[in-house]
Structure formats: structure tokens, C-alpha cells
């Protein structure tokens, strides 16, 4: 078939027609139009007759979403008949239909299919909405037939997307075009686009979204004034029926930046009153605002340190202002010295978050949650999991992940992040009997916050296959037991249908992360990027920098001794974990340079030297990208041409970049050490 502007098709509710090839609408992401062919007729008859049992904004919207999804996704329209689909809350349906569905955790649901009826029962209206989306996905993925009974509930209560969007329309670390929300220092959005975005997010369980950059200093500090609040309220209204509550990033110095009080000292009553009054105004516009996100005393953002106050004092002051409205303070732990002296080896940036926040455990009010980056640095390709997890025991907290690919290829390179997120979930803090991150997500880590990877690009994420990262983030926050493989299979199938493409894509996704790590920064060395852009190789880009983070490569050795005789970072972990990290022979090799300073002739487990392993990783990484590009080319003619071409062009760029990484890093080490590659591949001496 010819090219269809699927965005227009979407707006006109046109179903897309298939030719010989699966026609993929990049804009539709994991909601491709499929037709009824995959669904048994008995189910179709039930799905044609959807009844929503209860009133209310989210429940009403659930009905609209389900009917819309059935119509657009499968061509199923509504008509009366003897078979039916009933949607409501568990409590109501149990009474109305004389069922005995068991209660679920908040936002959970049960889907039950009998011979003539599908039940979607939410623990609450939001649960019903998630049940409806799950049903739509399962109709594509398989697994719905008479006799099916599924019960699910999200692991964490907080499933957050953080936007780093600036009011001028740019997006910090954004690789998919400009902001969905802002333009030219105004709130400016296409309501349809926001609705479509909300649908994508809600369908994978997202329930909160912060809409402005945590670096509020740079922009958007006025978002909490009445110049902007009416428009913020309009955005909130679009997200609301999807069960997504807005968060606003605020600037800690707002009281004086907005010109009303001369200080921002959290212990000053005038400051406290200012925030209370401001919160009242904000909540008049957005009564269900989820709260504030705060980046304080971090990378030049103002904070309580300015007044000699602690972060607990700062956060609690805001918490008091939000409490009457049911709001929460999401306080980021990304606090470190960004004006450090590279000459001083006693400063270890990796220790900062722990050193700042562990002593405050128990000092935060009940409506404060600490938002902790997964690792102690800053979203590097490989970092150990932050030692705050498992250790904080009296403070509510969530984990921050980066969906946008800042250090992981900037949506040029294919890099499937659930692969590493699975690894993070597997990390055993070794503090309690149930102590992996996966097990702690819910009971102790109350959720995830992920930095958004979307923008105005027609396919949302720049690289079409980066949609898998957004999808995977949502799915993992909902169910941390899902494997990266399973998520890749789901996403590929939902996006590409049952096809060669889906199978190839799953394989490429699963390969992509270790491949990227290989040509980028293997063995936990971190930060070998160009300062500023954080893209492209620069082995000493952060060696003499005030931002910190040094690998200190010399002629003989590389890496940082973070054991007790070094910076002492290992001692932040449980004794079992610290013992493992301290000992180079037991330390996971993918992190060995993070924890140890080693000679280049150190023998790794494969009995080759460290330097040879570094060379190999970069050479093999490049070759693997070439193979990935070739695998993709094997899909020519088997896949929608637009998607084929756009992904191919990214893979070509990735190959070029991998070549640059390979040659710059390997040549750097060859020149530094004088040790040749055992296989004679180095030529740029
Ligand atoms: C990184 C990133 C910044 C961002 C910061 C943060 O340092 O490069 O752009 O502002 O993280 O998480 O706040």
C-alpha cells in the first residue's frame, strides 16, 4: 500500500489497512492497528458489547479507551448482543454479578473470561483502566480465551516520568526533538498529542509525570505563578482521566527569585508562609497535583546548604506546605561537589549521595520521598547500584533511571535499556533476607522515576527502536519480575506483529546493550565521553575537570581503588557486598575498574590481560554493530519501508560512531602503555 500519514489516520480514527507488509505507524508505538484476524470469533462477540458499570472520570474514560482500542486496534465496533464485556471495580462487580473476585492491591485488576463474558475488574477505577489496557495488549500477545483469569497489581506505588523540558521548548538531554509542552517560553501544546502521549504512558502503568526540567534555574521557575498555572491546569486535565497526576519541578530559591521574600532559608517563617500561600494558589488550579520535584544544592541549583540548613530541613519545609493538599516532595539525592579539584584524590564523587543522605535517614517527614539515581555517579553505562538502597530504612524513597539515552548512545546508537535495568533489579543489597532491588521495589523502594526520552519527533523517541525503552520502563516499574527478554518480545510483537521483523528486533535489542558497553566504556571505567554533550569518545574528557570522576590512567595502571585503603566507598555496602567488591578476584569484572586500580597486565578471568580485554571489547563491539546493521538489512522488503530506512540510517551512524570509539580509545591506550594488541589490529600508533 502507499504511504499513509498515520498520524492523520489516528486523528480521523481511520483503521490502517495492510498490504503484503505489516504497515507500521511509528506514531502509534505499541498500539498498532491489527484487524480482528487474530481474535477468536467467540471473543469478538463479547468485545462488541462493553458495559461500564460505574460513574466517575477515570471509569468513564476506561470505557472510552477500551472501545477506542477495540475499534482502532481490531476493527471491533460496539453493538448489543447476548455476550458481553463488563468493566467496573471489584467491589461493585462482586455484588452486581454475584462474583467472588479477590481484592487486589491498589491499582490492581482481575481479568476473567468465561464462555460468554469478559470481566475487567479493578481494585479501584485506575485498576480498571490498567486492566483494559492489559486486555488490549493481551488480545495481540495471546493468552486471552475462555477460562483465562489474570490478576495483577503494580509493584511500586510511584511510577513516574520526569521531563527535563525547558520553557523555551528545548529538552535537556533530549534526543527526539523539542518539548511536547513548551515553545518560545510559553506553554504550548497540541492537546491531541498530549492525549496520545498520556495513553502510551497509562497503558504501561505510569501514574505521575513531572513536566519541567529539574534544573529550574535555567527555565520555568515561573511555572508556579498565575501567569502559567491556567495552562498547567489544562495539561493536568488531559492527563487526569488517564490516572496520571502532574508533578512540578520547583526552584528552592523561588521565594526570592519571584521577588517576594528576601531569603529562601527554610527555617525562616516568612519563607514557610510563602510556600504555604504559593501551594494554596497552585492547588486551586491543580487540586490533584502530586507534588514537587526538587533538585537542590546540585549542579548550581540553590538549596538549603546556602543557609547552613540540612536537606531534611529543606524538604520538610516544603512538605509542610504540600501536606494539607495531599502533595509530596520528591527530593533528589543527586548532590555532589561539582567544583572539585582533580588534584585532591580524597574526593570521591561516588560517595557523595550516601554521605549526604544516609546520616539524615529518619529525619524526613512522611510526605517526602528521596529520589536516588540507580548508581552513585550519573547514569553511566555500568555502575554498581547505589548503596543507599537496602540501607535507608526510615526514609521513603524511589529509584531514578534514565530512559533518555544520555550516556547510552543519545538515541542514535541502539541501546536497549531494560537489559541493564534487569541487572539492576537483580542486584542483591544483602541487607535483609529479601534484599534484591526486585524484592525491595514495592515494600521499601516505593517506585521508579525515569527521565523521559520523548519529544516532538513524529515517532516520539527519535530512534524508533528506542520506543522499547519507554515501554520497558513502564512494564518493569509495574512488574520488576519481567525479564528484559520478555519485555523485548512483547514490545516487538506489539509493534511489528508476528513477523521476521519482530524476531530480528528482539534479538537486536537483547544484543545491543553489551555491544554498546563494549565499544564505549567497558569494565566500569565510566566517563570517557566529551564533556558537555556527553557523546563521542574523549578518554580524558573528565580527567582534569571540576565535575569530578577520574579514572587516572597512567602508563601502568587504570581505575580507582575504592576499597578501605582507597576512597573507602566499598564500605558503604553491606559486609557481604563490600567483601565482594573489595576483592578483585571476586569483584564482578564488568565493574572491576570502578572498584579497583589495576595494572594493565592484570590477568582477567579469561586469562588475558586487562589491556587485551579493553582492546578486544572495543574491536568486538565495533564488529557486533556491523553484524547488527547487517541483520537489519536482512529485513529489507520484509518491513515497512519508512521504519526500515530510518532505523537503518541510525545503525549506519552508530557504526561510524563505534568506529570512532574503537579507534580513539584503543589508540589512546596503546600510546599510553606502549603495549600492542596481541592480535595486531592496532594501526593508528
Ligand atoms: C546529569 C546531566 C544533567 C542533568 C543532571 C541531573 O548531570 O548531564 O544534564 O541535569 O544529570 O540529573 O540533574
Amino acid at each position: 500500500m502507499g504511504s499513509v500519514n498515520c498520524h492523520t489516520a489516528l486523528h480521523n480514527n481511520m483503521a490502517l489497512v495492510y498490504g503484503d507488509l505489516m504497515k507500521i505507524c511509528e506514531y502509534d508505538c505499541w498500539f498498532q492497528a491489527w484487524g480482528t484476524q487474530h481474535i477468536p470469533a467467540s471473543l469478538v462477540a463479547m468485545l462488541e458489547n462493553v458495559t461500564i458499570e460505574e460513574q466517575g472520570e477515570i471509569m468513564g474514560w476506561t470505557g472510552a479507551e477500551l472501545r477506542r482500542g477495540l475499534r482502532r486496534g481490531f476493527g471491533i465496533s460496539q453493538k448489543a448482543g447476548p455476550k458481553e464485556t463488563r468493566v467496573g471495580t471489584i467491589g461493585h462487580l462482586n455484588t452486581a454479578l454475584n462474583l467472588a473476585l479477590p481484592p487486589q492491591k491498589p491499582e490492581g485488576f482481575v481479568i476473567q473470561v468465561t464462555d460468554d463474558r469478559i470481566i475487567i475488574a479493578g481494585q479501584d477505577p485506575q485498576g480498571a483502566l490498567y486492566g483494559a489496557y492489559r486486555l488490549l495488549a493481551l488480545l495481540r500477545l495471546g493468552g486471552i480465551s475462555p477460562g483465562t483469569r489474570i490478576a495483577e497489581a503494580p509493584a511500586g506505588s510511584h511510577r513516574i516520568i520526569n521531563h527535563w523540558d525547558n520553557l523555551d521548548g528545548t529538552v535537556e538531554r533530549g534526543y527526539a526533538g523539542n518539548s511536547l509542552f513548551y515553545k518560545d517560553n510559553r506553554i504550548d501544546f497540541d492537546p491531541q498529542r498530549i492525549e496520545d502521549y498520556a495513553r502510551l504512558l497509562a497503558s504501561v502503568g505510569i501514574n505521575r509525570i513531572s513536566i519541567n526540567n529539574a534544573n529550574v534555574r535555567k527555565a520555568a521557575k515561573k511555572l508556579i505563578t498565575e501567569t502559567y498555572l491556567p495552562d498547567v491546569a489544562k495539561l493536568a486535565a488531559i492527563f487526569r482521566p488517564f490516572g496520571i497526576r502532574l508533578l512540578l519541578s520547583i526552584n528552592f530559591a523561588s521565594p526570592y527569585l519571584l521577588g517576594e521574600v528576601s531569603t529562601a532559608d527554610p527555617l525562616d517563617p516568612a519563607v514557610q508562609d510563602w510556600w504555604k500561600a504559593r501551594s494554596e494558589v497552585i492547588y486551586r488550579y491543580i487540586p490533584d497535583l502530586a507534588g514537587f520535584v526538587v533538585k537542590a544544592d546540585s549542579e548550581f541549583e540553590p538549596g538549603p546548604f546556602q543557609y547552613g540548613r540540612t536537606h531534611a530541613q529543606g524538604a520538610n519545609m516544603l512538605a509542610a506546605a504540600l501536606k494539607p493538599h495531599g502533595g509530596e516532595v520528591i527530593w533528589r539525592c543527586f548532590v555532589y561537589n561539582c567544583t572539585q579539584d582533580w588534584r585532591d584524590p580524597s574526593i570521591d564523587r561516588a560517595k557523595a549521595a550516601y554521605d549526604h543522605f544516609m546520616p539524615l535517614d529518619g529525619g524526613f517527614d512522611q510526605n517526602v520521598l528521596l529520589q536516588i539515581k540507580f548508581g552513585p555517579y550519573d547514569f553511566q553505562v555500568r555502575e554498581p547500584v547505589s548503596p543507599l538502597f537496602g540501607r535507608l530504612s526510615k526514609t521513603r524513597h524511589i529509584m531514578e533511571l534514565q530512559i533518555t539515552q544520555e550516556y547510552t548512545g543519545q538515541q542514535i546508537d541502539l541501546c536497549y535499556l531494560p537489559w541493564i535495568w534487569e541487572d539492576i533489579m537483580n542486584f542483591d543489597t544483602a541487607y535483609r533476607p529479601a534484599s534484591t532491588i526486585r524484592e525491595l521495589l514495592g515494600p521499601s523502594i516505593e517506585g521508579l522515576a525515569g527521565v523521559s526520552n520523548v519529544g516532538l519527533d513524529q515517532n516520539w523517541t527519535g530512534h524508533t527502536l528506542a520506543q522499547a525503552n519507554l515501554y520497558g520502563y513502564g512494564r518493569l516499574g509495574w512488574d520488576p519480575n519481567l525479564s528484559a527478554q520478555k519485555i523485548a518480545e512483547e514490545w516487538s510483537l506489539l509493534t511489528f506483529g508476528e513477523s521476521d521483523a519482530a524476531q530480528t528486533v528482539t534479538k537486536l535489542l537483547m544484543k545491543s546493550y553489551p555491544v554498546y558497553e563494549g565499544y564505549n566504556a567497558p569494565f566500569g571505567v565510566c566517563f570517557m565521553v566529551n564533556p558537555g554533550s556527553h557523546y563521542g569518545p574523549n578518554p580524558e574528557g573528565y580527567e582534569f575537570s571540576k565535575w569530578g570522576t577520574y579514572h587516572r590512567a597512567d602508563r601502568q595502571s587504570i581505575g580507582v581503588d575504592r576499597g578501605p585503603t582507597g576512597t573507602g566507598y566499598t564500605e558503604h555496602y553491606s559486609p557481604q557486598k563490600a567483601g565482594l567488591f573489595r576483592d578483585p578476584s571476586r569483584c564482578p569484572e564488568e565493574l572491576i575498574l570502578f572498584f579497583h586500580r589495576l595494572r594493565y597486565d592484570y590477568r582477567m578471568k579469561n586469562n588475558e590481560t586487562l589491556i587485551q580485554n579493553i582492546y578486544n571489547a572495543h574491536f568486538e563491539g565495533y564488529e557486533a554493530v556491523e553484524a547488527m546493521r547487517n541483520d537489519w538489512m536482512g529485513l529489507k522488503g520484509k518491513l515497512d519501508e519508512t521504519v526500515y530506512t530510518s532505523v537503518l540510517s541510525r545503525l549506519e551512524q552508530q557504526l561510524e560512531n563505534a568506529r570512532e570509539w574503537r579507534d580513539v580509545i584503543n589508540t589512546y591506550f596503546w600510546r599510553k602503555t606502549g603495549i600492542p594488541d596481541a592480535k595486531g589490529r592496532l594501526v593508528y600508533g
Side-chain angles (χ1 to χ4, degrees):
M1 66 178 263
S3 81
V4 170
N5 179 342
C6 58
H7 192 180
T8 316
L10 180 88
H11 287 186
N12 298 340
N13 288 329
M14 274 164 55
L16 294 173
V17 187
Y18 300 121
D20 292 342
L21 296 182
M22 169 96 182
K23 180 72 199 164
I24 292 150
C25 178
E26 294 174 301
Y27 183 86
D28 281 359
C29 298
W30 45 92
F31 279 105
Q32 299 298 316
W34 276 37
T36 40
Q37 64 266 32
H38 298 277
I39 306 179
S42 57
L43 283 181
V44 172
M46 300 181 218
L47 295 165
E48 280 170 344
N49 185 14
V50 172
T51 310
I52 305 298
E53 293 281 328
E54 289 151 273
Q55 306 289 316
E57 188 170 18
I58 294 182
M59 198 51 101
W61 196 248
T62 300
E65 282 297 284
L66 183 56
R67 292 183 187 115
R68 179 190 182 284
L70 290 169
R71 187 181 67 245
R72 275 200 31 82
F74 306 99
I76 297 176
S77 330
Q78 297 297 299
K79 57 179 181 220
K83 301 195 173 193
E84 59 177 358
T85 297
R86 297 265 206 131
V87 186
T89 56
I90 291 176
H92 174 90
L93 288 170
N94 276 348
T95 313
L97 302 176
N98 198 19
L99 301 171
L101 301 170
Q104 301 297 310
K105 287 202 314 192
E107 302 177 85
F109 61 81
V110 176
I111 297 173
Q112 185 171 290
V113 187
T114 53
D115 286 337
D116 49 13
R117 186 192 273 161
I118 298 173
I119 299 281
I120 303 176
Q123 178 59 27
D124 39 40
Q126 203 144 331
L129 180 69
Y130 296 136
Y133 285 129
R134 196 77 196 117
L135 179 78
L136 289 170
L138 289 172
L139 288 172
R140 294 171 160 91
L141 294 170
I144 293 284
S145 56
T148 301
R149 173 136 177 200
I150 295 164
E152 286 189 24
S157 54
H158 290 60
R159 302 178 305 279
I160 307 177
I161 291 283
N162 287 158
H163 276 263
W164 286 358
D165 295 24
N166 300 318
L167 211 49
D168 64 4
T170 59
V171 179
E172 178 150 334
R173 311 304 177 192
Y175 312 105
N178 272 2
S179 170
L180 297 175
F181 307 131
Y182 314 105
K183 196 178 161 193
D184 301 334
N185 294 312
R186 283 178 289 114
I187 297 183
D188 184 331
F189 57 87
D190 169 1
Q192 183 63 54
R193 181 102 202 217
I194 302 300
E195 182 190 308
D196 294 339
Y197 182 41
R199 172 172 304 112
L200 290 174
L201 297 184
S203 72
V204 290
I206 302 301
N207 64 2
R208 286 167 176 76
I209 186 166
S210 68
I211 57 164
N212 59 320
N213 192 350
N215 288 316
V216 191
R217 172 180 50 92
K218 290 192 188 163
K221 56 180 177 281
K222 292 194 176 155
L223 216 56
I224 55 172
T225 68
E226 287 184 276
T227 315
Y228 292 99
L229 285 170
D231 285 333
V232 176
K234 287 183 194 153
L235 270 175
I238 301 178
F239 282 108
R240 187 170 294 120
F242 289 94
I244 300 173
R245 292 166 69 191
L246 250 52
L247 286 154
L248 292 174
S249 297
I250 59 100
N251 187 314
F252 196 77
S254 295
Y256 69 77
L257 285 176
L258 296 177
E260 294 169 53
V261 186
S262 60
T263 168
D265 181 353
L267 297 195
D268 187 317
V271 171
Q272 296 164 359
D273 288 347
W274 188 88
W275 278 111
K276 281 187 187 140
R278 186 71 356 224
S279 301
E280 266 162 34
V281 174
I282 298 170
Y283 275 86
R284 274 213 299 278
Y285 286 92
I286 309 133
D288 59 348
L289 186 84
F292 295 155
V293 174
V294 193
K295 174 174 178 173
D297 293 314
S298 165
E299 300 186 330
F300 308 108
E301 289 295 311
F305 286 169
Q306 237 170 298
Y307 306 97
R309 312 299 185 196
T310 68
H311 276 221
Q313 288 170 321
N316 292 346
M317 179 273 294
L318 291 171
L322 292 178
K323 196 167 177 205
H325 311 284
E328 292 174 333
V329 176
I330 310 280
W331 190 271
R332 296 180 80 223
C333 294
F334 187 54
V335 180
Y336 69 100
N337 180 355
C338 63
T339 56
Q340 77 177 72
D341 186 348
W342 59 267
R343 296 166 192 83
D344 181 353
S346 71
I347 307 174
D348 181 3
R349 177 171 161 182
K351 290 170 73 176
Y354 185 98
D355 284 346
H356 282 299
F357 288 94
M358 203 55 225
L360 298 176
D361 192 17
F364 291 92
D365 285 347
Q366 261 316 297
N367 60 329
V368 177
L369 285 101
L370 297 184
Q371 179 166 313
I372 308 162
K373 286 193 181 184
F374 81 84
Y377 264 165
D378 185 15
F379 304 131
Q380 293 305 289
V381 183
R382 183 75 75 154
E383 294 185 43
V385 168
S386 165
L388 283 166
F389 296 109
R391 190 76 199 271
L392 281 175
S393 61
K394 299 191 277 290
T395 305
R396 299 179 64 196
H397 55 283
I398 56 177
M399 177 182 274
E400 181 174 320
L401 300 173
Q402 199 179 37
I403 316 169
T404 194
Q405 291 173 239
E406 178 178 0
Y407 294 96
T408 49
Q410 308 207 343
Q411 276 131 265
I412 296 168
D413 302 38
L414 178 62
C415 198
Y416 174 59
L417 302 172
W419 188 92
I420 195 74
W421 296 337
E422 179 179 356
D423 202 62
I424 293 168
M425 292 297 146
N426 284 336
F427 182 86
D428 190 353
T429 63
Y431 273 116
R432 312 183 180 115
S435 57
T436 61
I437 298 297
R438 165 173 298 118
E439 291 161 320
L440 296 179
L441 189 58
S444 117
I445 304 168
E446 293 185 39
L448 299 179
V451 184
S452 158
N453 66 344
V454 309
L456 277 176
D457 279 2
Q458 179 67 14
N459 67 353
W460 302 93
T461 51
H463 199 314
T464 302
L465 303 190
Q467 291 176 1
N469 290 334
L470 183 60
Y471 179 83
Y473 168 75
R475 294 291 289 136
L476 206 66
W478 179 275
D479 181 1
N481 293 309
L482 288 171
S483 68
Q485 171 77 30
K486 171 88 173 96
I487 294 170
E489 283 167 8
E490 269 187 15
W491 179 79
S492 303
L493 189 54
L494 290 173
T495 308
F496 294 101
E498 271 175 42
S499 60
D500 285 357
Q503 290 188 14
T504 304
V505 167
T506 301
K507 277 191 217 135
L508 292 180
L509 291 176
M510 286 304 288
K511 268 191 205 169
S512 62
Y513 201 97
V515 164
Y516 182 83
E517 184 175 19
Y519 63 80
N520 186 283
F523 309 116
V525 70
C526 303
F527 287 100
M528 283 203 164
V529 285
N530 282 309
S533 73
H534 294 167
Y535 194 72
N538 188 341
E540 297 198 338
Y542 280 100
E543 275 311 283
F544 306 101
S545 152
K546 64 182 165 76
W547 297 90
T549 69
Y550 313 111
H551 54 72
R552 299 173 194 273
D554 64 17
R555 284 177 305 149
Q556 279 164 350
S557 313
I558 182 171
V560 183
D561 176 4
R562 292 202 155 95
T565 55
T567 72
Y569 169 80
T570 52
E571 307 315 290
H572 290 175
Y573 289 93
S574 58
Q576 184 190 328
K577 221 61 206 179
L580 190 80
F581 289 143
R582 258 185 238 134
D583 176 356
S585 70
R586 292 169 62 223
C587 179
E589 281 194 342
E590 63 272 14
L591 283 167
I592 202 155
L593 294 178
F594 187 93
F595 283 107
H596 295 279
R597 181 160 185 80
L598 299 175
R599 288 175 55 93
Y600 295 107
D601 57 7
Y602 174 83
R603 288 273 153 200
M604 304 277 276
K605 291 191 179 108
N606 62 4
N607 207 30
E608 293 195 270
T609 60
L610 170 63
I611 190 69
Q612 191 57 45
N613 272 280
I614 292 176
Y615 292 149
N616 290 347
H618 290 86
F619 282 118
E620 287 161 15
Y622 172 82
E623 281 161 22
V625 177
E626 203 168 26
M628 282 165 51
R629 193 264 325 253
N630 294 345
D631 285 352
W632 184 259
M633 286 168 80
L635 292 176
K636 184 157 177 59
K638 296 189 188 170
L639 172 72
D640 182 283
E641 190 64 21
T642 319
V643 178
Y644 173 78
T645 317
S646 84
V647 171
L648 181 60
S649 85
R650 304 254 166 182
L651 285 165
E652 298 282 7
Q653 281 182 69
Q654 178 174 5
L655 189 60
E656 191 47 42
N657 297 333
R659 178 168 167 262
E660 194 67 5
W661 277 99
R662 177 196 72 184
D663 292 341
V664 171
I665 306 267
N666 281 350
T667 306
Y668 168 81
F669 282 113
W670 186 22
R671 288 180 183 165
K672 191 141 219 138
T673 65
I675 306 173
D677 168 40
K679 296 184 186 157
R681 292 164 294 186
L682 284 169
V683 287
Y684 308 105

